Amino acid sequence: MSEHLSLLLADIMQALKQAGLYSQQPPSPQAMASTMPFCCDSMPLEQWLQFILIPRLQVMLAAGQPLPNKVAILPMAEQVYAGRDENIQPLLAAITRLDLCLNKP
């Protein structure tokens, strides 16, 4: 599963780039310290994916730690990106695959 998950995380990063949502600059330390779900009060969802979720999952994989198994990122992504053009579809598809992968028993 770890190799599959690593590929899914790479797919999300690639989809962020293709959609023009990839950021060269990380959020401020204050934004990174948010305790709200998805850091929705301090950064856009794409930054949360790029700078918080993906790195945390990569660290967990590398350390052999248990991964989260009750994940629902897609509903938030669908809400945030509603009405966007077709460029966003590969990102939504990658997030769907990530949710499915992590929610497997």
Side-chain angles (χ1 to χ4, degrees):
M1 175 168 155
S2 63
E3 186 175 328
H4 179 65
L5 183 55
S6 291
L7 292 173
L8 287 174
L9 297 177
D11 286 349
I12 291 173
M13 290 297 278
Q14 184 62 35
L16 286 169
K17 290 174 183 175
Q18 288 175 341
L21 298 173
Y22 183 84
S23 179
Q24 296 294 332
Q25 294 291 337
S28 70
Q30 296 84 1
M32 297 283 283
S34 172
T35 58
M36 295 290 292
F38 306 103
C39 295
C40 64
D41 63 333
S42 63
M43 68 182 72
L45 181 64
E46 56 269 17
Q47 286 188 343
W48 177 81
L49 290 166
Q50 181 181 344
F51 293 104
I52 295 181
L53 179 69
I54 291 172
R56 282 187 187 169
L57 289 176
Q58 289 170 331
V59 166
M60 293 172 85
L61 278 173
Q65 295 175 337
L67 298 168
N69 60 7
K70 290 187 173 106
V71 178
I73 302 164
L74 183 63
M76 180 66 164
E78 288 175 329
Q79 179 180 345
V80 167
Y81 300 124
R84 293 273 182 106
D85 61 25
E86 65 279 351
N87 285 2
I88 207 69
Q89 291 310 312
L91 178 59
L92 294 176
I95 291 170
T96 299
R97 292 190 303 275
L98 179 64
D99 277 2
L100 290 171
C101 176
L102 291 174
N103 289 322
K104 284 185 180 175

